[in-house]
Amino acid sequence: MIEPLTTDVAPPGSRPPGSCCSAPITPDQAEELSAVFKALADPVRLRIASIVACCPAGEVCMGEIAAEFDLTGPTISHHLRKLREAGILASERRATEVYYYVRPERIEYLMGPLDGMRTRVRTSGCE
């Protein structure tokens, strides 16, 4: 098993000083993260997620999202469903409208491994 890189000795069970993370991601984590990143890899879905995340109200209705695109309603619904299935967005129906909001805990979950890699690259001295 690959061990995390360290620059100092740390007590067992703790995160070593100078390490980017406690350990590389597991195959199961890689599979799950890959599926979520695949959902975000589509330009329309990435833009939808950005629109929802940047909304000052914290939520956006389907009609407001659709108004930003030159796409049919069913196509926007398809992209929103993919983002919900990936756990990036959640929704709530109110009367005849559906409102979408970002799940911040899911974004944090996605960013954790990337942040760990970025930290390690910055501190490793690699160019």
Side-chain angles (χ1 to χ4, degrees):
M1 170 127 199
I2 297 173
E3 295 297 323
L5 297 173
T6 62
T7 56
D8 298 303
V9 177
S14 69
R15 188 171 130 183
S19 77
C20 65
C21 51
S22 59
I25 62 174
T26 67
D28 288 342
Q29 288 171 319
E31 193 71 34
E32 181 182 1
L33 288 168
S34 175
V36 178
F37 287 128
K38 183 178 177 181
L40 282 172
D42 182 280
V44 172
R45 289 194 284 266
L46 185 58
R47 187 151 176 253
I48 289 172
S50 175
I51 289 167
V52 175
C54 292
C55 180
E59 62 185 14
V60 182
C61 70
M62 162 52 163
E64 291 173 339
I65 294 169
E68 295 292 321
F69 297 91
D70 188 23
L71 299 170
T72 66
T75 300
I76 296 294
S77 292
H78 166 77
H79 289 300
L80 288 165
R81 180 175 52 84
K82 291 292 188 182
L83 290 168
R84 280 193 329 270
E85 288 172 353
I88 295 162
L89 297 183
S91 62
E92 180 180 314
R93 178 172 289 282
R94 295 186 205 141
T96 61
E97 193 64 74
V98 179
Y99 288 82
Y100 294 87
Y101 54 94
V102 171
R103 295 183 53 211
E105 72 281 359
R106 188 66 164 172
I107 301 302
E108 288 298 319
Y109 173 76
L110 293 173
M111 296 308 296
L114 295 179
D115 191 45
M117 287 187 276
R118 179 185 64 188
T119 300
R120 186 66 201 147
V121 169
R122 284 185 179 169
T123 60
S124 69
C126 297
E127 301 274 333

